[in-house]
């Protein structure tokens, strides 16, 4: 089919349409391809299923990532999107230790003390793509004091914490707005994390003699 002014197109060119019958073999091939793609998606762990957690899960469900919502309350997981994995556990901080390398951690539970435990675990993961905690500057300062004095944390680890999530350029406390800003922040961190090793490899290759 030619593309051009005749059909309201200004760029021109051609497009071909291929129609195939989806038999059992092609079905298996498509499923295998989808599963392989899913296996390589970056992970986003969201701790907390409150108002912001619900909004962030709904936003993340639209992105090319494997979203996981982790909660201590069963009722908080009930209305999560079907495409987001749900995990109910009494010790959410333990989930951090078993997360794949390159995971983005967004911490937004209903309990400040629980937030602190999860963030402390996440900051110990030097292979994390992102560690973000919802809250205010006061909450960050309180966490800093506890992390350095009671959790054996370091300033270098603390420097990797993003808090408040979503930044403070847009002063809007509505959950969908916070979720949109945080999702953009998380995706940016994932892209940077996933491309950094390739960039380093290219630089090293260019520096090699010959």
């Amino acid at each position: 089919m030619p593309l051009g002014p005749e059909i309201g197109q200004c760029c021109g060119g051609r497009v071909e349409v291929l129609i195939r019958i989806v038999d059992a073999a092609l079905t298996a091939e498509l499923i295998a391809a989808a599963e392989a793609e899913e296996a390589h998606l970056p992970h986003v762990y969201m701790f907390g299923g409150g108002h912001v957690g619900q909004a962030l899960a709904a936003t993340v469900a639209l992105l090319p990532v494997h979203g996981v919502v982790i909660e201590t309350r069963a009722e908080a997981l009930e209305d999560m999107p079907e495409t987001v994995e749900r995990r109910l556990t009494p010790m959410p901080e333990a989930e951090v230790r078993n997360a794949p390398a390159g995971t983005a951690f967004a911490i937004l539970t209903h309990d400040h003390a629980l937030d602190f435990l999860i963030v402390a675990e996440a900051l110990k993961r030097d292979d994390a793509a992102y560690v973000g905690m919802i809250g205010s500057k006061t909450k960050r300062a309180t966490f800093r004091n506890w992390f350095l004095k009671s959790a054996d944390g370091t300033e270098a680890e603390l420097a990797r914490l993003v808090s408040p999530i979503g930044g403070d350029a847009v002063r809007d406390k509505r959950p969908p707005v916070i979720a949109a800003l945080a999702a953009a922040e998380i995706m940016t961190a994932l892209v940077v994390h996933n491309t950094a090793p390739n960039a380093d490899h290219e630089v090293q290759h260019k520096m090699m003699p010959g």
Side-chain angles (χ1 to χ4, degrees), residues 124-201:
K124 297 297 182 182
R125 291 286 303 263
D126 58 6
D127 58 355
Y130 171 92
V131 180
M133 177 177 66
I134 195 169
S136 61
K137 292 181 179 179
T138 300
K139 181 178 178 180
R140 181 189 176 96
T142 302
F143 171 78
R144 179 183 184 279
N145 184 62
W146 172 82
F147 183 65
L148 297 178
K149 293 184 178 180
S150 303
D152 297 323
T154 67
E155 288 285 1
E157 292 169 338
L158 183 65
R160 296 169 43 230
L161 174 63
V162 178
S163 185
I165 60 171
D168 55 8
V170 178
R171 298 184 179 278
D172 194 318
K173 299 299 183 182
R174 289 175 292 178
V177 176
I178 296 174
L181 295 171
E185 192 172 75
I186 290 168
M187 286 305 300
T188 300
L190 286 171
V191 170
V192 170
H193 181 84
N194 291 332
T195 56
N198 294 330
D200 292 343
H201 175 74

Side-chain angles (χ1 to χ4, degrees), residues 50-72:
H51 295 304
V52 178
Q54 291 269 354
L56 183 58
T59 303
V60 166
L62 303 174
L63 301 173
V65 300
H66 183 88
V68 182
V69 178
I70 299 164
E71 252 289 356
T72 59

Side-chain angles (χ1 to χ4, degrees), residues 79-101:
D79 297 324
M80 291 295 168
E82 293 183 0
T83 55
V84 171
E85 183 182 346
R86 289 168 281 185
R87 296 182 189 175
L88 180 65
T89 174
M91 296 181 62
E93 66 274 16
E95 295 291 331
V96 176
R97 303 168 200 150
N98 300 321

